[in-house]
Amino acid sequence: MSRIGVFVCHCGENIGRTVDCAAVAEALKDHPGVAVAEDYKYMCSDPGQALVKKAIEENNLTGVVIAACSPHMHEKTFRRAVDQAGLNKFMCEMANIREHCSWIHEDKDEATAKAIDIARTIVEKVKHNRPLEVIKIPVTKRALVIGGGIAGIQAALDIADGGHEVVLIEKSASIGGHMSQLSETFPTLDCSQCILTPRMVEAYQHPNIKLHTWSEVEKVDGYIGNFEVTIRKKARSVDEDLCNGCGDCQGVCPSKKIPSEFDAGLSNRTAIYVPFPQAVPNIPVLDRPNCSLFKGRAKGLKKDACGKCKEACLKGAIDYDTEDTFVTEEVGAIVVATGFKLYDIGRDQPEGLTGYGEYGYGEVPDVIDGLQFERLASASGPTAGAILRPSDGTEPKTVVFVHCVGSRDPEKGMSYCSKICCMYNAKHAMLYKHKVHDGRAVAFYMDIRAAGKGYDEFSRRAIEEDHAEYIRGRVSRIFRDGDKVKVWGFDTLSGEQVVIDADMVVLATAVRPQDGVKELGQKLSVSVDADGFINEAHPKLRPVETNTAGVFVAGACQSPRDIPDAVAMASATGAKVLGLFSSDELEREPAVAIVNEQTCIGCMRCELVCPYGAIEQREVCTVDGHVCGHTAYVNPGVCQGCGTCQAVCLSKSVELQTFTDEQIFSEINALCAWE
Amino acid sequence: MSTVVDATATAEAGAQPAPGVLAYYPGCSLHGTEPEYDESLRAVVEALGIAIAEIPDWNCCGASSAHTTDHLLGVALPARNLALAEAAGFDRVLAPCAACYNRLAAAQLAVAEDAGLAEQMPDILGRPFANSVEVLSILSLLRDVKTTIAERASATRAAPNPLVGVKLAAYYGCLLVRPPELSGGDDPEQPMFMDEVIEACGAEAVDWNMKVECCGGAFSVSRTSSVLRMGRAIIEDARSNGAEAIVVACPLCHTNLDLRQKAMESRGEPRIPVLFITEVVGLALGLPAGALGLKRHFIATAPLLADLNIRAAQRVADEKKAADEKATKAAAREAKAAEAKAAAAADPATPDAGGDA
């Protein structure tokens, strides 16, 4: 027998002005199953809550309906109060007579009638509520961080400093990411590696951080608090324990003409290599596809074509016969921090993007991108920090910087702003002028986006102190003209065409997500947006979580950002992970789907439609262990309570607790039966 | 037998054109200011066995005037030509003039994408119109048969292909590649269709920077100084990239670069001939210069052609000489080997006479 308490809130004037709350309470008093009905000015306040608790105790209530604001607002508040009064908190529901009634209507009579309908409907629902318990799942207090750039390193350090073990994996040979390629960082012009390498070493030496470089995620199983991740440690050909980082192997390698990824193609490296001198770990990898020995083996040669590095290694650390190995790590949280890469203006483009034929498709010498300029400017770069033309090694006297190459351009397939380019272009113009005093730096821009702390001042410095010429307008063509690079642009502020015979052009190409992110996302059940960036759970209020519980995101892989924002985001992610690890068990709302295995026919339609990968097939066995069929099983740790499975279930075997068919139909019946 | 069919005859006879016959839309320029384009085109399609038939009673395509005056007029004028072709039973129309091609293709696309427009057309045109005719540019047509052209160009014949080794700059101008939807599939920034045809002819298409830069278009008449300035930039770039001639597929580009070239500022450098792509293909196929209208150009083509013929003859002679030398050397080698073999057989004391070791 139901004994339900109905409490109607005036919410000050919010509800009270449009709905006659006393009348609603009065009408509900007579509704079958309602033991008590009251109204009050502010239900969510202390006295309001005390009212509810008192009513529960005095009337032995079996259910509570608060006719007030949206459950998004105060469901938690009232359920806590109900719980304190000794009634199961899931027997408390909110009837929204504010967002769904008083805030959207004007006629008091009609609004009051509607409020009464809404309250009655929820009373009928509550009659079918069950006293559910929160779901508790265990938590493995270890984290996996995918990506060893500044965001990944920061997240790993924060979690490790918080007392928990972190597995940090990086697909290239060293951690550091793009920040290690930069010369100086804005707005302070700090030497990038000087501020980064201490962090890299800290991550390497931290007792709580386990580092796997030259490794990738192979498979991910499990759910929040209980992930099982298989990591592929690619064959390095160098034993990480034996190698002492002496570098003799690199010295003898005969394959010296491989374009260096670290130098963005401006210099060459050997087949066995450490990407840069400050690499962490300082252990080389052997690039097998470019190694003569392995190329020979692929052709079927019986005798190895080379072996110089192995001969030269005094530690015997080189082994050509290693294979990729697999390591399984159990973790409770995963952080995606895969960073970014730059848009390439060439002819070969992935689906949806177009190259820049008007700028020469990347085939014009001395037209470079931002990362290549960083390598030129870098003291440890291919030109020891001198700004020189890649074509002939001479010093350029006129350098043109082009903003927005690909970014903000729907025709090229990238409508978004890449955020960092206005700042690094100003930096580049300044670095160039600092090194070539009589040089001319010209920047073609659309808008200047310099929103951070000290950013606009930095940007103005380039113009006022270093005399960079900023022209507002686009560049229509870039092509080779003899020894020079012809730039055809436009100055919208003066309305004149501008033609510049440049010695070098630096293109601020768009920031894109790294390769392989979509596939990695699929392994994690995390989606990417139309531009390929990882989707956050909510753009405003949940920027470091994804829609998959337990998988977090940090850095430029979610959207273009600079170093301070990447670090801040990584620390936020770290805090979320530490929060997750702060208890031994995770509490989850019991608003999850449950399958009735007796009636389930195992058609698995639910598994097909579940957006969160929360449903799996479970075998049904006879007494003697014989598999005789299967049913669906919903993992209560992953289910987000969307109810899609319930909608498609052919045998009506899956029920979303708190929104069962019974509850929903009772609401519908209530609405239809009463006028 | 001429492959240029008299379409009026066909229409009167009431018979459908034979399959594969293209409707031909010359436009005003091929009948007026650039008859050499028409001449060379007819010679080339005949040589390639492609049948064309001029659309009876065709009207002006509207060029820039129509579409800048009124959108509907800009669609209806070219659409009438498409309707006429359709009525005569053709499924494809060739429009060698770049502007005519652009207008006909734009009308075809506009009617295909706008159902309202499609409904209005029959009323406006006064005849049925199903928009079933495909519009071809000269570049698409020639590119489709480039293998045939390449085979014929490289075949041995009495008069050798004069184009082997000559450097040509393919100039597309604007209407063949803009807007991108009407470029026939070619890259609007770095197009290659004409380059491919040039290469098929045995010549070398140079890599240069002004492929799609404006020649000044109709300003040829109203603001000639702009055309002279822009044309000069185009010609300079072609020349500095090694081109011996510029190849065009548009009558107005031809006028601006050929007729106007003499008026362009000169610093004493020689003038550079401007050829139609159909003239180039004609030469590659071995057609005589007289049949291709080459004497109608303002910048004389004769000196270049004479030079090319000399070079071709020299090349043939060099090849023959190299082949003769090679044959002589091969014969000498064989003779030497035969001698050695004979000597070895005659001498019993040679080690490989099969004794036991």
Side-chain angles (χ1 to χ4, degrees):
Chain A
M1 200 52 239
S2 291
R3 298 182 53 72
I4 296 174
V6 179
F7 304 90
V8 187
C9 181
H10 293 236
C11 195
E13 286 291 287
N14 271 306
I15 298 176
R17 193 158 58 92
T18 322
V19 169
D20 184 347
C21 299
V24 174
E26 202 50 47
L28 266 293
K29 272 198 182 111
D30 301 324
H31 189 90
V34 173
V36 58
E38 296 175 37
D39 65 293
Y40 185 65
K41 237 1 198 207
Y42 300 101
M43 262 351 281
C44 56
S45 65
D46 242 357
Q49 291 186 45
L51 214 107
V52 175
K53 291 189 220 178
K54 188 153 160 265
I56 292 172
E57 284 157 11
E58 285 179 359
N59 296 278
N60 246 321
L61 296 180
T62 57
V64 163
V65 173
I66 315 280
C69 52
S70 162
H72 276 249
M73 197 72 213
H74 278 310
E75 188 176 77
K76 267 205 169 75
T77 316
F78 290 112
R79 283 190 173 170
R80 208 178 325 131
V82 163
D83 184 58
Q84 284 164 4
L87 175 62
N88 181 296
K89 62 182 181 179
F90 295 101
M91 303 308 288
C92 166
E93 292 271 358
M94 292 198 63
N96 187 341
I97 61 170
R98 190 181 75 170
E99 282 87 337
H100 286 185
C101 190
S102 71
W103 272 2
I104 53 174
H105 297 304
E106 285 171 1
D107 184 304
K108 192 154 187 182
D109 289 330
E110 290 188 3
T112 307
K114 180 171 171 179
I116 293 172
D117 274 344
I118 292 173
R120 281 179 181 156
T121 305
I122 302 300
V123 165
E124 288 303 310
K125 181 191 181 185
V126 169
K127 286 179 181 172
H128 298 286
N129 275 27
R130 297 172 195 161
L132 304 170
E133 293 297 327
V134 292
I135 298 167
K136 291 197 201 277
I137 49 180
V139 181
T140 306
K141 298 185 189 185
R142 294 174 84 235
L144 170 71
V145 175
I146 306 172
I150 183 62
I153 290 170
Q154 184 63 46
L157 285 174
D158 284 335
I159 299 168
D161 284 342
H164 299 288
E165 245 181 68
V166 178
V167 177
L168 174 59
I169 73 171
E170 163 57 46
K171 78 175 177 194
S172 69
S174 163
I175 55 174
H178 285 304
M179 191 175 169
S180 58
Q181 292 174 286
L182 306 182
S183 164
E184 277 135 17
T185 56
F186 55 78
T188 50
L189 292 184
D190 270 323
C191 153
S192 185
Q193 284 202 6
C194 303
I195 56 178
L196 174 66
T197 44
R199 296 277 171 108
M200 286 164 60
V201 174
E202 204 190 328
Y204 188 45
Q205 295 178 343
H206 203 294
N208 276 344
I209 297 180
K210 199 167 154 193
L211 180 60
H212 292 297
T213 54
W214 203 239
S215 303
E216 294 189 47
V217 170
E218 181 75 11
K219 194 155 88 90
V220 178
D221 281 319
Y223 53 95
I224 180 174
N226 302 275
F227 290 107
E228 192 181 272
V229 183
T230 309
I231 296 167
R232 174 189 289 266
K233 285 186 68 81
K234 300 181 288 194
R236 211 172 184 115
S237 311
V238 177
D239 187 311
E240 294 184 41
D241 295 315
L242 294 176
C243 173
N244 67 355
C246 72
D248 284 351
C249 52
Q250 290 179 88
V252 302
C253 177
S255 302
K256 297 188 203 292
K257 293 273 171 65
I258 305 158
S260 161
E261 294 85 348
F262 186 77
D263 272 343
L266 290 179
S267 74
N268 292 328
R269 60 163 172 82
T270 45
I272 187 163
Y273 73 105
V274 161
F276 56 104
Q278 303 81 5
V280 167
N282 187 19
I283 297 166
V285 298
L286 177 51
D287 174 9
R288 291 182 175 187
N290 280 309
C291 164
S292 331
L293 182 145
F294 282 94
K295 286 203 270 205
R297 283 192 184 182
K299 275 195 230 158
L301 291 185
K302 288 193 201 73
K303 184 164 178 289
D304 279 336
C306 184
K308 296 207 168 73
C309 54
K310 189 168 178 177
E311 281 166 37
C313 179
L314 297 173
K315 290 284 175 184
I318 297 180
D319 184 352
Y320 301 126
D321 299 308
T322 54
E323 305 270 322
D324 292 356
T325 55
F326 296 91
V327 172
T328 312
E329 297 281 5
E330 278 169 17
V331 296
I334 299 176
V335 176
V336 182
T338 50
F340 71 95
K341 70 169 188 182
L342 289 183
Y343 160 64
D344 175 339
I345 67 169
R347 289 171 202 267
D348 252 317
Q349 293 290 339
E351 179 97 41
L353 299 192
T354 312
Y356 250 96
E358 50 270 62
Y359 293 177
Y361 284 130
E363 291 157 17
V364 180
D366 300 323
V367 175
I368 61 176
D369 68 24
L371 272 174
Q372 288 175 315
F373 188 86
E374 293 283 349
R375 294 315 303 147
L376 287 179
S378 180
S380 57
T383 57
I387 309 295
L388 301 174
R389 292 178 1 138
S391 63
D392 59 10
T394 58
E395 187 174 72
K397 293 299 184 192
T398 304
V399 179
V400 171
F401 299 91
V402 184
H403 290 217
C404 306
V405 178
S407 311
R408 305 181 63 187
D409 197 342
E411 288 294 316
K412 299 297 180 192
M414 292 157 284
S415 306
Y416 56 89
C417 168
S418 292
K419 203 168 183 187
I420 59 178
C421 332
C422 283
M423 287 305 292
Y424 76 62
N425 266 309
K427 177 183 72 170
H428 288 173
M430 288 162 74
L431 291 181
Y432 168 66
K433 290 289 290 188
H434 293 175
K435 296 186 185 211
V436 184
H437 300 299
D438 59 341
R440 184 185 172 206
V442 181
F444 283 92
Y445 71 98
M446 298 214 286
D447 299 284
I448 297 299
R449 293 174 169 193
K453 191 165 177 174
Y455 281 22
D456 203 75
E457 300 91 309
F458 179 83
S459 182
R460 293 301 306 168
R461 251 177 77 187
I463 298 169
E464 289 165 15
E465 287 180 29
D466 292 308
H467 309 293
E469 294 168 46
Y470 268 63
I471 300 179
R472 183 182 182 274
R474 301 276 287 167
V475 168
S476 69
R477 283 210 61 196
I478 297 175
F479 57 89
R480 190 104 180 126
D481 187 30
D483 215 17
K484 300 279 194 180
V485 183
K486 203 83 156 181
V487 176
W488 288 358
F490 191 73
D491 181 346
T492 61
L493 298 179
S494 70
E496 301 201 344
Q497 289 186 336
V498 179
V499 174
I500 299 185
D501 284 311
D503 296 308
M504 192 161 91
V505 175
V506 185
L507 302 177
T509 49
V511 168
R512 306 247 346 114
Q514 267 289 8
D515 290 326
V517 164
K518 191 158 174 211
E519 292 70 27
L520 174 66
Q522 281 166 349
K523 290 177 186 164
L524 295 165
S525 294
V526 157
S527 57
V528 297
D529 66 12
D531 299 306
F533 292 101
I534 303 263
N535 272 326
E536 65 290 325
H538 188 281
K540 288 286 199 188
L541 298 177
R542 297 176 68 201
V544 303
E545 300 160 84
T546 64
N547 269 322
T548 303
V551 179
F552 303 90
V553 63
C557 62
Q558 182 257 351
S559 86
R561 68 187 65 247
D562 54 24
I563 294 163
D565 284 349
V567 169
M569 195 176 179
S571 289
T573 306
K576 288 282 179 190
V577 171
L578 291 175
L580 177 61
F581 291 175
S582 64
S583 46
D584 293 329
E585 279 180 332
L586 269 184
E587 267 191 16
R588 296 198 75 222
E589 289 274 297
V592 297
I594 296 183
V595 176
N596 180 342
E597 300 196 326
Q598 306 300 322
T599 56
C600 171
I601 59 175
C603 72
M604 302 313 292
R605 278 176 164 215
C606 49
E607 186 188 20
L608 264 175
V609 302
C610 176
Y612 306 101
I615 302 185
E616 55 197 53
Q617 207 167 278
R618 277 266 168 102
E619 283 168 351
V620 174
C621 298
T622 59
V623 182
D624 40 316
H626 218 62
V627 175
C628 62
H630 59 263
T631 58
Y633 170 72
V634 179
N635 187 323
V638 188
C639 174
Q640 300 290 315
C642 72
T644 311
C645 52
Q646 181 170 294
V648 303
C649 180
L650 293 175
S651 57
K652 301 252 167 273
S653 302
V654 61
E655 272 192 333
L656 173 59
Q657 308 303 295
T658 71
F659 281 102
T660 61
D661 277 350
E662 240 185 352
Q663 287 170 301
I664 296 177
F665 286 134
S666 71
E667 290 187 55
I668 297 171
N669 284 335
L671 270 176
C672 297
W674 302 91
E675 231 103 343
Chain B
M1 194 199 103
S2 171
T3 51
V4 180
V5 179
D6 179 359
T8 16
T10 318
E12 279 164 8
Q16 293 292 302
V21 180
L22 293 176
Y24 178 46
Y25 179 80
C28 57
S29 5
L30 271 80
H31 273 203
T33 45
E34 273 81 23
E36 65 268 31
Y37 194 4
D38 180 67
E39 234 175 286
S40 53
L41 184 140
R42 288 175 186 269
V44 162
V45 294
E46 179 163 351
L48 288 171
I50 297 171
I52 60 172
E54 202 165 308
I55 299 173
D57 193 33
W58 58 264
N59 58 270
C60 169
C61 71
S64 338
S65 328
H67 75 81
T68 50
T69 306
D70 178 73
H71 174 64
L72 198 50
L73 180 67
V75 172
L77 271 176
R80 181 174 176 277
N81 295 303
L82 295 177
L84 289 169
E86 196 178 280
F90 295 99
D91 59 3
R92 291 179 301 160
V93 60
L94 169 66
C97 163
C100 300
Y101 162 73
N102 195 285
R103 290 316 309 155
L104 288 173
Q108 201 272 344
L109 190 63
V111 173
E113 290 184 343
D114 185 341
L117 208 52
E119 247 182 78
Q120 285 182 292
M121 277 300 128
D123 281 331
I124 296 174
L125 302 177
R127 47 178 55 250
F129 181 51
N131 200 19
S132 61
V133 178
E134 191 195 334
V135 185
L136 289 178
S137 73
I138 189 67
L139 295 184
S140 294
L141 179 73
L142 291 175
R143 184 172 175 260
D144 273 344
V145 297
K146 69 175 181 182
T147 330
T148 315
I149 295 172
E151 277 166 21
R152 302 263 289 269
S154 55
T156 353
R157 56 191 194 221
N161 180 357
L163 298 177
V164 175
V166 69
K167 294 187 185 203
L168 302 173
Y171 177 62
Y172 295 75
C174 58
L175 292 169
L176 286 170
V177 292
R178 295 195 271 278
E181 308 81 88
L182 300 177
S183 70
D186 208 353
D187 182 340
E189 294 292 347
Q190 307 249 5
M192 288 301 281
F193 283 12
M194 203 192 308
D195 295 63
E196 287 174 34
V197 176
I198 288 172
E199 298 271 329
C201 291
E204 187 192 317
V206 301
D207 189 17
W208 65 306
N209 298 308
M210 306 296 242
K211 277 182 169 181
V212 295
E213 299 307 323
C214 180
C215 69
F219 285 121
S220 191
V221 174
S222 52
R223 192 161 159 161
T224 317
S225 57
S226 296
V227 164
L228 297 181
R229 182 173 48 84
M230 294 165 87
R232 185 175 162 67
I234 293 166
I235 289 171
E236 291 245 306
D237 192 80
R239 202 201 305 277
S240 68
N241 280 287
E244 300 174 67
I246 297 178
V247 187
V248 299
C250 164
L252 197 47
C253 295
H254 190 263
T255 302
N256 286 345
L257 295 178
D258 177 63
L259 190 158
R260 298 284 180 215
Q261 202 180 126
K262 199 157 167 216
M264 290 174 193
E265 189 199 319
S266 161
R267 282 160 211 156
E269 69 277 0
R271 297 299 178 183
I272 186 170
V274 184
L275 307 171
F276 280 103
I277 185 64
T278 41
E279 290 171 339
V280 171
V281 172
L283 288 171
L285 294 178
L287 302 176
L292 300 172
L294 281 158
K295 67 180 195 301
R296 296 187 194 271
H297 294 209
F298 282 82
I299 301 298
T301 55
L304 176 67
L305 290 174
D307 186 49
L308 291 180
N309 283 326
I310 293 171
R311 278 154 61 178
Q314 183 66 51
R315 177 174 47 89
V316 168
D318 286 343
E319 277 170 13
K320 184 164 191 307
K321 190 165 166 217
D324 285 342
E325 275 178 23
K326 195 171 171 197
T328 320
K329 279 209 186 109
R333 255 203 314 273
E334 264 177 55
K336 209 167 168 198
E339 250 182 59
K341 200 167 173 199
D347 187 348
T350 44
D352 48 22
D356 21 62

